[in-house]
């Protein structure tokens, strides 16, 4: 198995403005793809997973390239 990638648990802001709590990383049981376990800090605050590659990717927003999620210091 590969080494665990780095993504610190903590608070992150989505490029559209919502804040989320990253809890940990996990691996998909079939594909071994790294997934991010997180929850929104609003609404019902249910747990969600998203592929790490998607969580950390850059997206186009208002004619700019921005990170999908950025850490909140």
């Amino acid at each position: 198995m590969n080494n665990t990638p780095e993504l610190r648990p903590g608070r992150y802001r989505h490029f559209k403005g919502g804040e989320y709590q990253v809890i940990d990383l996990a691996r998909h049981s079939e594909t071994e793809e790294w997934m991010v376990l997180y929850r929104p800090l609003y609404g019902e605050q249910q747990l969600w997973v998203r592929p790490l590659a998607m969580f950390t990717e850059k997206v186009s927003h208002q004619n700019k390239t921005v990170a999908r999620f950025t850490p909140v210091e």
Side-chain angles (χ1 to χ4, degrees), residues 21 27 73:
Q21 183 72 35
R27 291 198 93 167
E73 300 297 328

Short mmCIF file of all heavy atoms in Angstrom, two decimals, residues 21 27 73:
data_model
loop_
_atom_site.label_atom_id
_atom_site.label_comp_id
_atom_site.label_asym_id
_atom_site.label_seq_id
_atom_site.Cartn_x
_atom_site.Cartn_y
_atom_site.Cartn_z
N GLN A 21 -15.75 20.60 8.04
CA GLN A 21 -14.78 20.01 8.96
C GLN A 21 -14.26 18.72 8.34
O GLN A 21 -15.01 17.77 8.16
CB GLN A 21 -15.44 19.71 10.31
CG GLN A 21 -14.49 19.18 11.35
CD GLN A 21 -13.56 20.27 11.87
OE1 GLN A 21 -13.93 21.42 11.98
NE2 GLN A 21 -12.35 19.89 12.18
N ARG A 27 -9.55 4.91 2.70
CA ARG A 27 -9.36 4.31 1.39
C ARG A 27 -10.60 3.55 0.97
O ARG A 27 -11.24 2.89 1.77
CB ARG A 27 -8.18 3.36 1.42
CG ARG A 27 -6.90 4.17 1.59
CD ARG A 27 -5.73 3.43 1.23
NE ARG A 27 -5.37 3.65 -0.16
CZ ARG A 27 -4.21 3.28 -0.62
NH1 ARG A 27 -3.34 2.68 0.16
NH2 ARG A 27 -3.90 3.49 -1.87
N GLU A 73 -7.58 29.18 8.60
CA GLU A 73 -6.58 29.29 9.68
C GLU A 73 -7.22 29.70 10.97
O GLU A 73 -8.12 30.44 11.05
CB GLU A 73 -5.51 30.30 9.29
CG GLU A 73 -4.78 29.91 8.03
CD GLU A 73 -3.98 28.61 8.14
OE1 GLU A 73 -3.47 28.29 9.24
OE2 GLU A 73 -3.91 27.90 7.14
#
